[in-house]
Amino acid sequence: MKKGKKKQVFFCKFERFMYKVCIFIIVVLIVLIVCSETSLAQVNLELQKLDKEVDQEEKKIESLEMKIDEMTSLENIKEVSAFYGLSYHSDNIKTIED
């Protein structure tokens, strides 16, 4: 009996090429996934900043609406008209509804 050497299996050129292509595709997919996750995180951060800005503007609007309500109150109108020497007659007031 001959003791023969075990034959090593060598991949043919096409198989080596296919393995390289598969590894390349996997690496590219991983890089694309990481890039998309970082861009998504940036968009979420910008969205949070915009939400804060919207909340601040809503608070400013609410504050201004309260000032408008204070200035258009009946007592304030009477006070301003008395300061300028005008008389207040309720039948001269016209209301406009939305």
Side-chain angles (χ1 to χ4, degrees):
M1 286 205 292
K2 285 186 176 179
K3 290 187 179 179
K5 294 182 183 177
K6 290 185 180 180
K7 291 186 177 180
Q8 292 181 354
V9 177
F10 292 104
F11 297 117
C12 70
K13 289 181 181 181
F14 180 72
E15 288 175 335
R16 281 185 284 180
F17 175 74
M18 289 305 294
Y19 285 127
K20 288 178 184 178
V21 167
C22 288
I23 290 172
F24 178 75
I25 290 173
I26 290 171
V27 169
V28 168
L29 287 175
I30 290 172
V31 169
L32 288 176
I33 289 171
V34 169
C35 289
S36 66
E37 289 294 323
T38 53
S39 66
L40 181 64
Q42 288 176 345
V43 168
N44 282 335
L45 184 63
E46 291 177 18
L47 180 64
Q48 288 176 353
K49 287 179 183 178
L50 289 175
D51 281 341
K52 285 182 183 179
E53 290 179 15
V54 166
D55 288 340
Q56 289 174 352
E57 292 299 319
E58 285 177 349
K59 288 178 184 178
K60 285 181 185 178
I61 290 172
E62 188 176 306
S63 172
L64 291 173
E65 286 175 348
M66 290 176 64
K67 284 183 182 180
I68 289 172
D69 290 340
E70 286 178 15
M71 295 181 87
T72 58
S73 68
L74 183 61
E75 295 82 23
N76 192 33
I77 292 174
K78 286 182 180 179
E79 184 179 313
V80 170
S81 64
F83 178 77
Y84 287 108
L86 303 171
S87 61
Y88 176 78
H89 297 289
S90 62
D91 37 328
N92 291 342
I93 297 176
K94 296 178 183 176
T95 56
I96 301 173
E97 296 186 24
D98 295 330

